[in-house]
Amino acid sequence: MAKYNDLDPKKWKEYDDIYTDSLWIINKRDNSGAHKFRYHGNFVPQIAYQLLSRYTKKGDWVLDPFMGSGTTLIEAQRMGRNSIGIELQDIIAREAEERIKSENKPDINSIIITGDSKKYDISNKFKELGIESVQFIMYHPPYWDIIKFSDNNEDLSNCKTIDAFKEDFGKVIDNCNRFLENGRYCGIVIGDKYADSQITPLGSICMNLFLERGLILKAIIVKNFGNTEGKSNQQAIWRYRAMSADYYVFKHEYIMVFKKDEKKKKVK
Ligand SMILES: C[S@@+](CC[C@H](N)C(=O)[O-])C[C@H]1O[C@@H](n2cnc3c(N)ncnc32)[C@H](O)[C@@H]1O
């Protein structure tokens, strides 16, 4: 068994639900229990389920510095993983907390913090919890300014330029990855942006932030964007626009996985 998950490779035939390919087509969101909540900009719980299955063990600690509606924490709790979520907007954090607690797993810690992930000092919380590190970090930052999450200047979706977004997201990575146990993994979910007749490749830009810090790239997964209800009309319009112009309609986002390996670290 690997050091970083509970899967037994000898039983590979039994793990029908675990993805091992780099193309993920997920057409239906898991809306069960506490996941039944609409938060514009959330991801499907299956992403957290897949990554936590492959890269964590029961009892591990998972950190999500862009917690939003708490999808990662709900999934972590269900899977017997402890978790810490940081969210800038207090009201969103409190709502998530209520829903997470509604699934009531008293033996699992789900810690919710309202704060700015660029600078929140998590070490005091670690002392309180008696831990020194986390075993997985799930990054799901704003896709720069595509969705404005709040009016707060510290919100990454309010960065005025792509350079400011890079700088701020870099600060979040630095503030969090120092607590990632060596030999363990972090993942990012991110999509590109199309505006002013050109693509801003947020996927590549964010990937480079991890590579520049010496993280080892282990996976680039392409996941389809689900067709949200009531959008079929809009899709026809987008198809028409794409056909009469020179671009393709985005139907995918990326999930990338990186390993922290201090021995192999070569800062580029
Ligand atoms: C893409 S959403 C994450 C959604 C989440 N994965 C879910 O499923 O609900 C990004 C979140 O990051 C939060 N955010 C933006 N800037 C932040 C910062 N500096 N510190 C902490 N959270 C931040 C936003 O308020 C938003 O809820």
Side-chain angles (χ1 to χ4, degrees), residues 66-261:
F66 299 102
M67 183 187 67
S69 60
T71 312
T72 306
L73 279 76
I74 295 166
E75 212 53 34
Q77 176 173 254
R78 287 183 186 180
M79 296 172 72
R81 277 72 168 157
N82 301 293
S83 59
I84 302 172
I86 308 176
E87 168 57 48
L88 192 63
Q89 300 180 71
D90 188 53
I91 182 160
I92 300 298
R94 299 282 75 88
E95 274 170 9
E97 183 164 34
E98 261 177 48
R99 276 176 301 101
I100 293 161
K101 299 273 182 271
S102 74
E103 295 207 346
N104 192 26
K105 279 233 184 164
D107 47 329
I108 298 295
N109 297 284
S110 308
I111 311 293
I112 285 109
I113 295 167
T114 299
D116 175 1
S117 292
K118 296 195 291 300
K119 46 186 181 240
Y120 186 87
D121 182 4
I122 205 167
S123 58
N124 288 335
K125 186 54 86 184
F126 278 12
K127 271 186 211 129
E128 225 176 86
L129 296 165
I131 58 170
E132 285 177 359
S133 56
V134 295
Q135 286 71 45
F136 188 78
I137 304 178
M138 172 70 93
Y139 292 98
H140 187 211
Y143 299 3
W144 184 16
D145 56 357
I146 298 182
I147 297 174
K148 292 271 182 197
F149 285 97
S150 69
D151 295 331
N152 191 324
N153 282 336
E154 306 303 339
D155 184 331
L156 266 63
S157 67
N158 288 323
C159 288
K160 300 258 182 317
T161 62
I162 184 63
D163 283 339
F165 174 79
K166 268 163 69 176
E167 193 180 326
D168 278 5
F169 186 38
K171 285 183 188 164
V172 177
I173 299 172
D174 291 335
N175 194 28
C176 296
N177 264 37
R178 63 200 165 116
F179 295 114
L180 179 62
E181 187 180 309
N182 192 37
R184 302 303 292 265
Y185 300 80
C186 59
I188 176 173
V189 181
I190 188 82
D192 294 326
K193 174 181 171 174
Y194 189 85
D196 298 329
S197 306
Q198 60 180 310
I199 293 178
T200 303
L202 295 176
S204 317
I205 289 169
C206 291
M207 178 179 74
N208 282 328
L209 292 175
F210 289 90
L211 295 179
E212 282 161 12
R213 286 162 172 78
L215 275 292
I216 294 168
L217 180 60
K218 299 299 288 188
I220 302 179
I221 294 154
V222 173
K223 178 199 154 282
N224 70 316
F225 264 160
N227 297 339
T228 37
E229 321 98 69
K231 292 269 179 72
S232 53
N233 196 15
Q234 273 184 28
Q235 276 172 43
I237 294 169
W238 280 112
R239 183 165 154 71
Y240 172 78
R241 284 184 185 155
M243 207 165 279
S244 47
D246 56 358
Y247 62 86
Y248 288 84
V249 180
F250 281 157
K251 283 285 176 182
H252 69 280
E253 58 191 341
Y254 306 98
I255 299 159
M256 295 171 206
V257 179
F258 301 88
K259 182 176 182 183
K260 180 170 177 176
D261 187 336

